[in-house]
Amino acid sequence: MTKPKVTMQDIADHLQISKNSVSQALSGKGGVSEETRKLIMQTADELGYVYTGNRKRSSDQEDKEESTGSIALVATDFAFSMRGFFGEIYLTIENEVQKRGKKLLIQSISQQMMKEQTLPPFIEGREVDGILILSHLSTDYMNTLIDTGIPTVLIDHHHPDVQADAILTNNRFSAYHVVKYLYELGHTRIGFVGNTSFSPSYYERLEGFRHAHHELGMELHPNWILSDALEDQEFMEKRLQGLDEQPTAWFCVNDGLGFIVNSTIYNMGYQIPGDISIVSFDNGQLSRLATPKTTTMGVDLRLFGQTAIRQLFWRMKQPDAPHMELLLPTTLIERDSTSAPRN
């Protein structure tokens, strides 16, 4: 049986001190006394902590430590391929980094890198001042990045076991407002479409969907909650055609699902929005290409990038401050896919 990897948190728990103090000591940064530093490094060696790159520094190296002038942006191959959503965030980040006189280093993280816990060379060698994680990597891999002691901010993802700042959409409230908008149009029979196991964001949108139903006194219909939905036409046709009855409105957790639900319902002979209304999320290209154009919750992607950079540069100056999550608002963009129900 493989022996579990010793983490900074293990050392902190053993000594009953903060993880930030351990990180500062092992990375050679200031903020801890020399006595505490020696105790932490001795404990790390005793527990079998594995150092990455050149993190193990002596105290006489501290004065030589300078800013590298670089920021790392890492994401999965899949996230980088989603240019419609993440592309504008990336471009904003690049612009904001340059305005601050630094260079942006980008690395796509493969499944193999996550499996083998392989760090990008410029992170392994501590050649960056901060790390931005775009969308979700595996929890273990994110913690390996964070364990380098380099300030890290997550973008559009968070997890209870990942201790880092996160920039997020206010998913629960946004979904709540979708349901309330449909309710005010006269809809009380509303369905949900999204794969809640794919992303915490989608699960939170289902929570907001449920919250609104509870607060507005509407009945939830389990058959209309498609929480395992795939962005696949065949899947959607099978699921929607298998329902005994359709709701008067569908809420889809992204524009891709909204587009597929739209075409599926149309092929089944329903009129949109006459028979069934549709609301999606993100305000991406597919919401504008659909016929009719889809009502959607708009996400300010530039604000995502700007807020992430602002938070990272603040975190670089305040390494010991409590971690926080910043929730960004959305805007309902009403188009032609929604109207009052006929009955």
Side-chain angles (χ1 to χ4, degrees):
M1 186 175 180
T2 305
K3 185 178 179 181
K5 184 181 71 172
V6 176
T7 66
M8 287 189 185
Q9 190 62 58
D10 294 329
I11 299 170
D13 292 342
H14 186 84
L15 294 174
Q16 295 186 326
I17 59 176
S18 73
K19 181 180 174 181
N20 282 328
S21 294
V22 175
S23 173
Q24 288 173 313
L26 296 183
S27 62
K29 294 181 179 179
V32 295
S33 67
E34 186 58 28
E35 182 181 357
T36 300
R37 184 189 309 282
K38 288 179 180 178
L39 177 61
I40 290 171
M41 296 182 74
Q42 179 184 345
T43 303
D45 290 337
E46 290 173 354
L47 294 178
Y49 179 77
V50 178
Y51 293 84
T52 59
N54 61 348
R55 285 171 54 205
K56 190 175 183 181
R57 303 174 182 228
S58 60
S59 59
D60 61 359
Q61 288 177 296
E62 289 175 25
D63 295 335
K64 299 177 184 178
E65 186 174 353
E66 297 178 356
S67 168
T68 69
S70 297
I71 299 295
L73 175 66
V74 300
T76 62
D77 303 337
F78 174 78
F80 278 131
S81 73
M82 302 291 287
R83 296 180 183 179
F85 187 83
F86 293 118
E88 190 169 348
I89 295 178
Y90 153 68
L91 291 174
T92 303
I93 288 171
E94 186 174 49
N95 184 50
E96 293 294 323
V97 168
Q98 289 175 352
K99 284 198 302 188
R100 288 166 170 78
K102 291 187 180 288
K103 181 170 63 174
L104 186 66
L105 303 179
I106 302 168
Q107 177 69 54
S108 178
I109 307 299
S110 66
Q111 292 297 318
Q112 184 175 357
M113 289 179 70
M114 281 193 278
K115 182 179 179 181
E116 297 175 356
Q117 297 288 292
T118 304
L119 295 177
F122 50 74
I123 292 178
E124 180 80 25
R126 294 188 57 81
E127 298 168 17
V128 295
D129 302 317
I131 302 172
L132 294 169
I133 299 176
L134 184 60
S135 191
H136 53 293
L137 303 172
S138 71
T139 298
D140 286 344
Y141 192 80
M142 286 190 288
N143 281 327
T144 298
L145 289 169
I146 292 167
D147 276 346
T148 62
I150 302 171
T152 302
V153 171
L154 313 183
I155 303 172
D156 198 40
H157 186 66
H158 62 159
H159 189 279
D161 292 331
V162 178
Q163 299 302 306
D165 298 333
I167 313 302
L168 308 161
T169 300
N170 195 336
N171 293 297
R172 294 181 181 88
F173 284 11
S174 297
Y176 173 94
H177 287 302
V178 167
V179 176
K180 188 173 182 181
Y181 160 75
L182 291 169
Y183 175 81
E184 289 173 348
L185 285 177
H187 294 275
T188 57
R189 297 153 57 80
I190 305 170
F192 172 93
V193 182
N195 187 348
T196 56
S197 64
F198 178 77
S199 167
S201 296
Y202 297 165
Y203 186 85
E204 290 158 11
R205 289 170 198 177
L206 177 56
E207 289 180 330
F209 178 88
R210 292 180 182 276
H211 181 196
H213 274 74
H214 172 75
E215 194 161 287
L216 297 171
M218 294 193 296
E219 181 183 355
L220 276 169
H221 296 266
N223 289 343
W224 296 339
I225 299 179
L226 310 185
S227 59
D228 60 347
L230 303 178
E231 291 187 45
D232 177 80
Q233 188 75 36
E234 185 178 346
F235 171 92
M236 201 62 65
E237 288 175 357
K238 183 177 180 181
R239 292 300 295 273
L240 295 187
Q241 290 173 5
L243 295 174
D244 293 333
E245 189 178 13
Q246 294 287 327
T248 62
W250 285 106
F251 167 50
C252 306
V253 297
N254 63 34
D255 292 326
L257 284 167
F259 188 87
I260 293 172
V261 169
N262 184 314
S263 62
T264 302
I265 287 174
Y266 177 80
N267 291 337
M268 291 170 64
Y270 291 99
Q271 292 184 352
I272 302 167
D275 296 318
I276 300 175
S277 290
I278 298 174
V279 181
S280 61
F281 211 106
D282 292 336
N283 189 32
Q285 188 177 20
L286 287 176
S287 68
R288 296 185 289 273
L289 290 177
T291 304
K293 294 179 181 179
T294 311
T295 296
T296 186
M297 295 300 285
V299 178
D300 189 336
L301 301 178
R302 291 185 70 251
L303 181 61
F304 247 112
Q306 292 167 345
T307 306
I309 287 296
R310 188 161 56 245
Q311 184 64 21
L312 180 61
F313 276 72
W314 178 86
R315 174 57 61 189
M316 285 155 54
K317 295 178 180 178
Q318 306 287 341
D320 291 329
H323 294 117
M324 61 184 71
E325 295 184 341
L326 303 179
L327 301 181
L328 304 185
T330 56
T331 303
L332 180 73
I333 301 172
E334 190 171 16
R335 297 196 178 112
D336 300 328
S337 69
T338 48
S339 69
R342 283 181 174 168
N343 297 320

